[in-house]
Amino acid sequence: MYSAPFDYLRPATLDEAVALLARHGEDAKVLAGGHSLIPAMKLRLARPKVIVDIGRIANLSGIREVDGRIAIGPMTTHADIEASALLQKRCPLLPETASHIGDMQVRNKGTIGGSLAHADPAADWPAAILALDAEIEIVGRPGRRTVRADAFFVDLLQTAIGPGEILCEIRIAPTPRSVAYEKTEQKASGFALAGVAVVVQPGGRDIRVGVTGVAAKPYRATAVEKALAGQRSLTPETIARAATHAADGVDALGDIHASPEFRVHLAQVNTRRALTRALERI
Ligand SMILES: Cc1cc2nc3c(=O)[nH]c(=O)nc-3n(C[C@H](O)[C@H](O)[C@H](O)COP(=O)(O)OP(=O)(O)OC[C@H]3O[C@@H](n4cnc5c(N)ncnc54)[C@H](O)[C@@H]3O)c2cc1C
């Protein structure tokens, strides 16, 4: 199936891309890896008149350490993240999460910026980005602004990126090895029915839990975090008890792949498994 006709523009700089988005307004869409946008256009779920391809803009892809923080360009592919020696050493949750995404072809074309901007409720990155408490930089006509991960995901397929804006960087503090991502995937696509990312800070006291796939938008499982915060020792029993709160206060999704009850159950199981594995790595 072919998409509706569109004009294709390929800016050379970020400023040019922002100017093009401002000029074409709601008619324009950013193109990154195209693995969500192009299928949506073929199905006529999206009908942009203008495509602004940001794939050739210098410095929008790559991973580097700047002033003790790791900066990732939005055009960095899932495969680049999976293979990054810097991330395997300094932020191992990201390569682990990347390894769960789709298949090799999806990982070679899909980008972290495209995935975060698209905000599919079953995407893998949001769980890790929330557990890592990442900062997301966005650029538009008025300039640059930074949004924390927990304010970035607004609703189903909706983020803090406004009209005419481009996600231009993701920044993360280096983490220790005590991290884990556990996921139950929908077998045909690989998308998450429930994916849980855990980051345990040194000492084991500060634990962050990000959940994707369960609700319309990804979330921090704060009830789990609170249940663990007061514990003197994290035994298998205390971990299992805390994990039962993985979907507290959440309106779970149901579809042909999983009922709301099953998604809640998977969130609880994957939370227990991710906590157990991350804590074993301390
Ligand atoms: C068969 C298949 C299996 C998949 N399995 C998984 C899976 O298991 N787990 C998973 O997480 N994902 C999966 N995906 C999705 C994949 O990871 C996509 O690559 C990703 O969701 C979108 O990234 P992209 O670079 O392709 O973005 P695109 O498709 O190019 O763009 C997606 C949306 O984001 C906007 N956008 C892109 N970049 C920016 C930016 N920098 N700033 C502002 N807006 C931007 C676009 O305008 C568009 O609306 C799968 C996809 C396919 C086709």
Side-chain angles (χ1 to χ4, degrees), residues 17-30:
V18 169
L20 287 172
L21 291 178
R23 188 184 312 153
H24 293 283
E26 294 203 339
D27 288 340
K29 273 249 171 229
V30 170

Side-chain angles (χ1 to χ4, degrees), residues 29-39 54 74-75 78 100-103 106 109-115 117-118 120 122-126 161 165-168 183 188-192:
K29 273 249 171 229
V30 170
L31 176 71
H35 267 47
S36 291
L37 181 58
I38 302 294
I54 60 170
M75 287 302 296
H78 312 319
H100 284 266
I101 297 177
D103 54 26
V106 172
K109 285 299 289 179
T111 66
I112 186 167
S115 176
H118 188 55
D120 190 300
D124 289 288
W125 285 127
I161 303 173
E165 290 188 317
I166 296 175
L167 190 168
C168 60
K183 163 188 179 182
S189 67
F191 275 106

